[in-house]
Amino acid sequence: AHSGGGEAQDGHAGARRAMIMGLLERAVFPTKAEDLQFMIYTEDITQAMQDKWGVLVHASGATLTRLESAPCPIASDVQCGTVEYIARRDFRRIDADGDGFVTQWEYLAEYPYSRQATDDGFSRGTTFEVASRNSTTAGIDLATWVTVYIGKLDPFLASIKDATRRTMWTVCGISKFGTPLQGGPNETTDDQGLTWMPMTSITQQEDGRLTYILSHLLDDDNNIYLLNIIVQNTRTGERAAFRPHTVQRNTPVYNPPELGGTDTALMTGIGLSIGVVAIVIAILIAQNRNKKMRPRLRIRKNPNPEKSRAI
């Protein structure tokens, strides 16, 4: 037992020495932008989001991954973005009597006063009284609820941060679940075959944000990607992870359905009909232009017959 305790103490001492050495290295080698290199990791979570939140249905009948946020008609959920779909789902659940309004009693059943101290479900500056005045005295209607209900974000974020399926928050998690995005300017390859790019290839905005243009990501189904970056100090070997982000297009992609034989024949027939009409009109125009003016004979009454001469 004594030996085990000594090993534990040695382990803690080694960790402290490593931490002290890290501090000394930082003091001797202050971090500079040219000493940093980064690697972008991606994970396509499109299928996972479809499994969790379903799909949107285009007017043509095509199904696509829901956008993170997209307005939709009141009568149907099939074209809603994910957060709007969640807001509608929660509205129907909280509206216990199904009259189309969340009354104060129904709201309090979901958000009692004890919960409202930390979470009232609404966006900042909004209360039940404010939201209900925007609707009617009967309560909050669906359109108002979707606008002011901030609780719709929590289930969506939870589905992305589902630790049972993935983690992209730590260096180890990113390396395990993410796929390195290869290719970039001034890249270097390490002994593990991984591609690193210098931090100087990232543009820094005036507000401190970093900007980098991504390409070569598949985008045929409103694809959703979870992204994160690992930064490495080439002097000390230290690595750190940024905060993860999700990336998805702002407007839905639409792939028109392939034409079948009947559709092709119909389009061909319409095209030929238009061609025939155009040719007929062109011929008629040509005929009208080629007609010569015929001389016309007009007979007028002579106002002075006595002055006329015989011919």
Side-chain angles (χ1 to χ4, degrees), residues 107-117 119:
Y107 170 74
L108 288 174
E110 181 73 16
Y111 291 93
Y113 291 114
S114 58
R115 180 182 178 182
Q116 293 182 35
D119 176 23

Side-chain angles (χ1 to χ4, degrees), residues 248-266:
Q248 188 186 33
R249 60 170 45 243
N250 290 327
T251 56
V253 64
Y254 167 59
N255 296 322
E258 296 182 1
L259 296 178
T262 304
D263 300 323
T264 303
L266 177 62

